[in-house]
Amino acid sequence: MAGGNLSVVLHAKGDLRLENRPIPEPGPNEVLLQMHSVGICGSDVHYWQNGRIGDFVLTKPMVLGHEAAGRVMKVGSEVKHLKVGDRVAIEPGVPREMDELFKNGRYNLSPTIFFCATPPDDGNLCQYYKHSANFCYKLPDNVTFEEGALIEPLSVGIHACRRAGVTLGTTVLICGAGPIGLVCLLVAKAMGASQVVITDLAPERLTMAKDLGADFQLTVKRGDAPQQLAESVEEKLGAQPHVTIECSGVESSIQTAIYATRPGGVVTLVGLGAEMASIPLIHAAVREVDIRGVFRYCNTWPMAVAMLASGKVNVKPLVTHRFPLEQAVQAFETTRQGLGIKVMLKCDQNDQKP
């Protein structure tokens, strides 16, 4: 561990730098990790381009990255379930206090939660990173580091499908075929959804969705009327879907979700767009369509690890680009341009394998 700790640090809006930071020392309940694979998320790019997301505002330099897996290098004195050399996936949200939300199992909603790469908390796009051992999960031998890193976006899909009530025989509409829409597709299918229709502006993303198991793909054009799109969904499925998972955050797409979902169904809002949106609320109310929010995830890592280890879910095709940590700025630019699906940064110079 000689030398520094190369880290990807956002100093201000548009100011992304590679710099050496000290190697941290783990506390009693923490582990020090040598990072291996870290995915770039849309939120990382959003902070880089805008310096904020909603009420989370960058006020001091922050290490980016929260989709991550690595190897245990040091173990805190109180840690019992991990040892040096263990390969782990990192859950980036760690509750700071045992409040009522924590006790109810909904710790993701705790207002004081630590979360990697959300101001003011540093992320893990670096060579060495310390994290709460209780939020590091051992990877089975047949699950790669990259799959471990992809558990973070996969967890969004698990949480969204749980919130929506996806089960055996459910029909599902997914709005948006970006990385999150695609993991929602994978999870919905694994949870027993009988038919899934997915929408997007980009034909190449819909091609990927088809390869990953989508039953129907619907190309959306800017300016399409939401009610007409809803009718197109019904035509493809033969009936309105039980569940719609909205992954774009775009106002017109939320409108489509409400119009498309059958009476008594559920719309889950995963994509985050503008703070205010004009939606056909009465149309939802009189048909008893439930609108449910989704904020990150909770209690998902064990299920995700099991899904990957069993082969029930295959996230490997999602990784379309790989860069060494030293080329982080180029990797971020690739993501910003919307090239491919998931860009993965490789943080271990001696191990660039998946």
Side-chain angles (χ1 to χ4, degrees):
M1 281 192 281
N5 178 17
L6 192 64
S7 306
V8 179
V9 184
L10 182 63
H11 280 256
K13 176 181 171 180
D15 184 4
L16 190 63
R17 306 181 200 174
L18 272 166
E19 58 190 44
N20 271 310
R21 290 192 157 197
I23 296 173
E25 194 63 33
N29 294 296
E30 295 176 326
V31 287
L32 176 68
L33 303 170
Q34 180 177 17
M35 301 307 298
H36 185 285
S37 297
V38 182
I40 298 177
C41 173
S43 67
D44 293 318
V45 174
H46 197 92
Y47 279 120
W48 171 40
Q49 294 295 298
N50 300 282
R52 66 183 297 162
I53 294 179
D55 294 333
F56 297 107
V57 182
L58 187 76
T59 56
K60 65 181 180 66
M62 176 181 77
V63 180
L64 290 172
H66 61 269
E67 304 179 359
R71 193 185 301 277
V72 177
M73 301 294 288
K74 274 189 187 179
V75 177
S77 58
E78 299 295 314
V79 177
K80 302 289 189 285
H81 69 290
L82 294 173
K83 64 184 187 303
V84 171
D86 281 346
R87 301 160 59 253
V88 297
I90 300 166
E91 180 171 1
V94 181
R96 283 187 168 96
E97 56 187 309
M98 197 177 287
D99 57 14
E100 287 304 311
L101 291 158
F102 183 109
K103 292 175 188 175
N104 289 330
R106 302 183 74 176
Y107 56 86
N108 58 311
L109 303 178
S110 175
T112 59
I113 194 169
F114 166 91
F115 198 89
C116 291
T118 296
D121 302 327
D122 282 327
N124 44 35
L125 193 37
C126 49
Q127 289 173 308
Y128 299 99
Y129 171 74
K130 71 172 183 179
H131 198 68
S132 167
N134 286 325
F135 288 78
C136 294
Y137 298 81
K138 271 181 74 167
L139 292 173
D141 291 342
N142 67 335
V143 177
T144 66
F145 281 113
E146 284 188 1
E147 289 176 284
L150 288 168
I151 288 177
E152 196 279 340
L154 186 62
S155 284
V156 177
I158 292 172
H159 191 56
C161 287
R162 281 177 177 171
R163 292 278 292 150
V166 175
T167 186
L168 209 59
T170 305
T171 54
V172 181
L173 164 63
I174 297 173
C175 301
I180 295 301
L182 294 175
V183 291
C184 287
L185 161 64
L186 289 170
V187 174
K189 279 293 193 177
M191 287 183 171
S194 59
Q195 290 185 307
V196 178
V197 56
I198 190 164
T199 68
D200 204 274
L201 292 162
E204 62 274 12
R205 292 201 158 181
L206 292 176
T207 301
M208 169 71 85
K210 184 178 182 181
D211 294 342
L212 292 176
D215 299 280
F216 305 101
Q217 304 83 45
L218 185 59
T219 305
V220 179
K221 293 186 287 295
R222 294 189 193 281
D224 280 353
Q227 282 169 298
Q228 282 180 301
L229 282 171
E231 288 170 10
S232 300
V233 170
E234 186 174 359
E235 283 170 20
K236 286 192 177 290
L237 286 174
Q240 292 178 306
H242 299 103
V243 163
T244 299
I245 302 173
E246 206 299 303
C247 299
S248 73
V250 176
E251 182 179 87
S252 60
S253 187
I254 300 170
Q255 294 167 357
T256 299
I258 291 171
Y259 286 128
T261 307
R262 73 174 58 185
V266 177
V267 173
T268 51
L269 302 178
V270 183
L272 298 177
E275 185 178 2
M276 293 293 178
S278 177
I279 60 169
L281 197 58
I282 302 305
H283 193 74
V286 298
R287 299 186 308 122
E288 294 192 3
V289 171
D290 292 353
I291 300 173
R292 298 180 187 169
V294 168
F295 185 62
R296 298 172 179 160
Y297 33 68
C298 57
N299 308 303
T300 53
W301 257 251
M303 176 187 274
V305 171
M307 280 178 160
L308 295 174
S310 67
K312 289 279 193 294
V313 168
N314 180 18
V315 293
K316 290 177 183 175
L318 297 177
V319 181
T320 53
H321 294 73
R322 295 176 178 88
F323 292 88
L325 184 61
E326 294 76 10
Q327 294 177 20
V329 176
Q330 185 181 341
F332 267 77
E333 184 57 33
T334 301
T335 308
R336 189 188 68 79
Q337 291 177 17
L339 303 175
I341 300 294
K342 179 58 66 177
V343 176
M344 194 67 67
L345 278 156
K346 314 302 288 183
C347 302
D348 183 350
Q349 291 173 318
N350 299 316
D351 183 5
Q352 301 279 300
K353 298 192 297 290

